[in-house]
Amino acid sequence: MDLVLLRHVVRRMGVLDAQSLEVDSKTPKATLPVPTEWVHLFDMPKQAAPHIDFLFTVLHSGTRERDLLGAMLANYGRRFFWDSFDHVLTSGPSKMLEGLPAPNLKAFEKVDVVSFAQVQSKHLTKSMSKELAGTSAFNEYFSGIGEAKKKVHSKEPCARNEGYSAVIRLAS
């Protein structure tokens, strides 16, 4: 996102917030919390003026009642957030942060979708296979668990036994 665009959006949100507080306003009242996540899109330069750095710190403090931003919102309303944010954007940063760090995908390296498909192909009945044709192995596994769960919760002992056996088969 461009810094100029962010400034424009913040100013417009401030205007809309002010309009929503007017009597006989057609602008709907704000129902969502102030977007404090937006403050994390840029960083302040080290040579920023002290009052700008302080406002930046306030915007990062949180919206609970005990937090500084939360207390200011309770006293002055949402307009405080938009005005402070606009002031910080106008006076402080010169560029947005380049990008968010890439998510750590190493947890997915151990997932073996092929083994799900092999387990399902061994334990699915022909009717179940036709019903599930075209879905992924992952969905097939969980639908098989769903069927087994229904059987486990049955009132008939025979069906319950069959359901427990199916769960054990799918788990192995």
Side-chain angles (χ1 to χ4, degrees), residues 97-104:
L97 292 176
E98 291 303 316
L100 299 175
N104 184 3

Side-chain angles (χ1 to χ4, degrees), residues 128 141-154 159-171:
M128 289 174 69
Y141 177 78
F142 282 102
S143 65
I145 288 288
E147 292 291 326
K149 183 179 175 184
K150 288 178 187 175
K151 290 179 183 176
V152 166
H153 292 292
S154 175
R160 264 187 303 208
N161 187 29
E162 190 177 306
Y164 285 123
S165 298
V167 169
I168 292 169
R169 263 194 323 264
L170 288 170

Side-chain angles (χ1 to χ4, degrees), residues 22-154:
E22 294 175 1
V23 180
D24 299 332
S25 174
K26 293 184 179 183
T27 305
K29 300 265 188 248
T31 56
L32 297 174
V34 290
T36 55
E37 303 86 24
W38 292 4
V39 180
H40 301 285
L41 294 174
F42 61 92
D43 202 7
M44 294 300 295
K46 292 187 183 351
Q47 69 273 16
H51 72 284
I52 298 296
D53 192 41
F54 175 74
L55 279 177
F56 188 66
T57 305
V58 169
L59 291 172
H60 274 89
S61 67
T63 56
R64 295 181 309 228
E65 285 184 35
R66 292 183 173 217
D67 296 329
L68 189 52
L69 178 59
M72 298 305 275
L73 289 172
N75 253 359
Y76 301 105
R78 298 168 58 88
R79 184 71 186 179
F80 174 81
F81 176 80
W82 297 116
D83 287 344
S84 300
F85 198 8
D86 182 37
H87 191 64
V88 167
L89 283 173
T90 304
S91 308
S94 57
K95 66 177 184 169
M96 303 287 286
L97 292 176
E98 291 303 316
L100 299 175
N104 184 3
L105 300 177
K106 293 204 183 268
F108 294 110
E109 289 177 355
K110 296 181 180 179
V111 175
D112 186 12
V113 179
V114 175
S115 63
F116 283 128
Q118 291 170 351
V119 168
Q120 281 305 114
S121 65
K122 290 178 187 175
H123 300 291
L124 282 177
T125 63
K126 289 182 182 180
S127 62
M128 289 174 69
S129 297
K130 289 178 186 175
E131 290 173 12
L132 297 172
T135 60
S136 70
F138 189 76
N139 288 337
E140 290 176 10
Y141 177 78
F142 282 102
S143 65
I145 288 288
E147 292 291 326
K149 183 179 175 184
K150 288 178 187 175
K151 290 179 183 176
V152 166
H153 292 292
S154 175

Side-chain angles (χ1 to χ4, degrees), residues 5 21 91 143 146 156 158:
L5 177 62
L21 297 176
S91 308
S143 65
E156 296 178 17
C158 184

